[in-house]
Amino acid sequence: MPGNMYVSRLNAWAEDCLWEMPGANKKIRTPTWIEICSAVMGRDAVNIARSDRSGDKNATKLMRGMQLRLLGCVVDGAPLPLDMVEQAFARAVRPLSFTDSKGAWNGFAWAECVAVACALIRKESIQSGRGAVSSELDKTCTDRDYLFGRLLAVSHKIEFDAAESGKFPTNALRLMQSFVQSPRETWLHLYCKLLPYLKQLGQSGRGNRAAWYLTLLGEIERSFAPEERADSRPLSYMFLAGFSAQLSELYAKAEQRKPSPPFEPYSPPSGRDELFGCLLAVADICEWDAMAEEHNGIRTSQRDGRTNAMLLTNAYVIKPSFTWMHIHDKLIPYLEKSGVSTAAYIQRIISRIESSFAAEERLKDARLGSGFLNGYLSMRHAMTAKGGLKQDAWAAQPASSLATHQPLRYAGAAAPRKPAAPRCGLPAHRSYHWRRQQPGAFGLCPYLLSAGSDRRTGGVPSASNCLADRRRCRYLS
């Protein structure tokens, strides 16, 4: 073999397998053969093979055969065997299997296995013609598996920051194998487990940490194509690449992180789960913003990670229609604190979401699916971004069509009578008295959707007017 060909093949192997390896001095390099054998076979098998002087043990024979195959890849330019990639990936997505001699979880061994598996995935992606996968985060990548990997990495970092301990695997790592097999269902289950940690981050006094993580999750959710987000098939190798790249970005310094890509303005979704998610996001943002204060140019909120919308999320997933009424009630004082213009804006958004429901879907109190999280996180991200909402899509509908809208109600509840004059200007200012008279009823006030206003404010909805006439209002949103 010519010397220049030998050197070029060595260089090709080194470049194709580059990945950021864990350690005190993290750097991008090619994993050693021992590290590759450990990722594929396991550390215990490698230790047995290295200590076998006779060379007769099965682990020794297996490791010898694997190194011969690697030699063919490096020197002869042979393709990397796919079974190596599959075995390394299968071990990397089972973090709980990495333990030390005392049975305690070995986080470094697992992190090393993830990095080596990603290096092999990068090599396999290049030789198959799909292009190189980088250890640096690609925020423009819209691959479904890559995005689910990013979601899991953020979930892991949220719990890691809140617990401030790396001695035990997080819920994200405990559910990693299930996440790969059923990403949509496991993601909803995992998010519900994250809520106590988001609350803990909000109480820690370290700025808007919970809000920052929720915004990042919303950014990832908005990167999904709708048809791919609804796909329930298992995740591929790209999941692990996205997980590793996102985790590396989260541990990097703020000035080293890449800026977020621009997004198209968010339009109202059409699915039931997504619409319920949008309702929860509006309540969450309204309460957060009402309690926000500005210090040294930074806006922080006392309700970060602890809004009523977040505290009632678990109940909301199980019984969305019933729980939404309770969240709506708790929103009243925050709307009063927000002021007339902000309350009118929230009114318009809630009204637009409610009018997007099909009657039979709004009446259902069935458990929400994973699409709820996509609607919640996407809507939350859009409401906190400048120009995040598509204004014409979220504009109020014509009064003529809204005046004929029939309020939704549970079966058996009497229809509310129509008031003689518009009295209700704000969505949350709905009479408790009417609700006690009509248990379980809910719907949209036609005056709220069309002409609810106060003449003294020039047609702008007035909180004082609604509060003064609270007993006389017969509708609630």
Side-chain angles (χ1 to χ4, degrees), residues 235-468:
L235 301 176
S236 68
Y237 302 147
M238 286 296 292
F239 154 78
L240 199 61
F243 175 85
S244 177
Q246 179 66 75
L247 203 58
S248 177
E249 171 97 349
L250 290 172
Y251 280 108
K253 296 181 179 179
E255 57 270 15
Q256 296 176 344
R257 295 171 184 164
K258 296 181 179 180
S260 301
F263 288 91
E264 292 293 328
Y266 188 60
S267 300
S270 57
R272 169 184 176 269
D273 295 348
E274 289 80 2
L275 288 170
F276 270 117
C278 289
L279 283 176
L280 192 70
V282 174
D284 185 15
I285 291 296
C286 178
E287 183 176 342
W288 191 99
D289 190 67
M291 300 301 293
E293 297 178 353
E294 189 167 340
H295 299 284
N296 300 325
I298 300 176
R299 191 171 174 81
T300 59
S301 177
Q302 301 175 12
R303 303 295 292 171
D304 186 47
R306 294 171 287 161
T307 62
N308 287 299
M310 295 186 66
L311 296 178
L312 291 172
T313 295
N314 283 319
Y316 190 79
V317 171
I318 298 172
K319 288 189 174 183
S321 297
F322 179 78
T323 311
W324 169 242
M325 292 192 298
H326 293 282
I327 295 174
H328 191 271
D329 286 348
K330 293 177 180 292
L331 194 61
I332 292 175
Y334 301 104
L335 277 167
E336 295 173 357
K337 187 177 178 64
S338 298
V340 171
S341 59
T342 301
Y345 172 74
I346 296 298
Q347 162 187 310
R348 176 167 61 86
I349 299 298
I350 290 180
S351 302
R352 180 65 180 84
I353 297 171
E354 288 277 16
S355 63
S356 299
F357 278 99
E360 62 278 4
E361 291 182 347
R362 183 61 173 85
L363 286 170
K364 287 181 182 178
D365 216 6
R367 186 185 183 94
L368 296 176
S370 181
F372 147 75
L373 272 183
N374 183 260
Y376 168 71
L377 294 170
S378 298
M379 183 66 175
R380 201 183 185 286
H381 178 270
M383 291 187 70
T384 56
K386 185 177 181 180
L389 295 178
K390 192 173 183 179
Q391 294 301 321
D392 55 345
W394 291 95
Q397 297 184 15
S400 58
S401 62
L402 293 171
T404 59
H405 176 79
Q406 295 298 323
L408 303 177
R409 58 189 182 277
Y410 285 115
R417 74 174 186 268
K418 185 175 180 180
R423 299 187 180 280
C424 199
L426 298 178
H429 297 161
R430 295 297 172 265
S431 170
Y432 295 125
H433 306 277
W434 181 86
R435 182 171 299 153
R436 293 191 182 107
Q437 296 167 10
Q438 305 293 340
F442 60 93
L444 290 176
C445 176
Y447 293 104
L448 157 68
L449 298 176
S450 56
S453 62
D454 188 353
R455 293 180 182 177
R456 293 172 295 177
T457 59
V460 179
S462 168
S464 61
N465 184 39
C466 180
L467 292 175

Side-chain angles (χ1 to χ4, degrees), residues 109-161:
W110 167 75
E112 184 180 77
C113 180
V114 170
V116 173
C118 288
L120 298 181
I121 290 170
R122 172 184 165 89
K123 173 66 176 176
E124 189 275 334
S125 180
I126 292 174
Q127 73 183 21
S128 63
R130 297 194 304 271
V133 181
S134 176
S135 61
E136 295 184 359
L137 180 63
D138 183 7
K139 292 191 174 184
T140 61
C141 180
T142 58
D143 181 84
R144 164 187 173 269
D145 303 339
Y146 191 88
L147 293 174
F148 270 119
R150 293 183 61 188
L151 287 176
L152 191 71
V154 177
S155 303
H156 168 69
K157 190 63 165 59
I158 289 173
E159 185 174 345
F160 185 88
D161 284 359

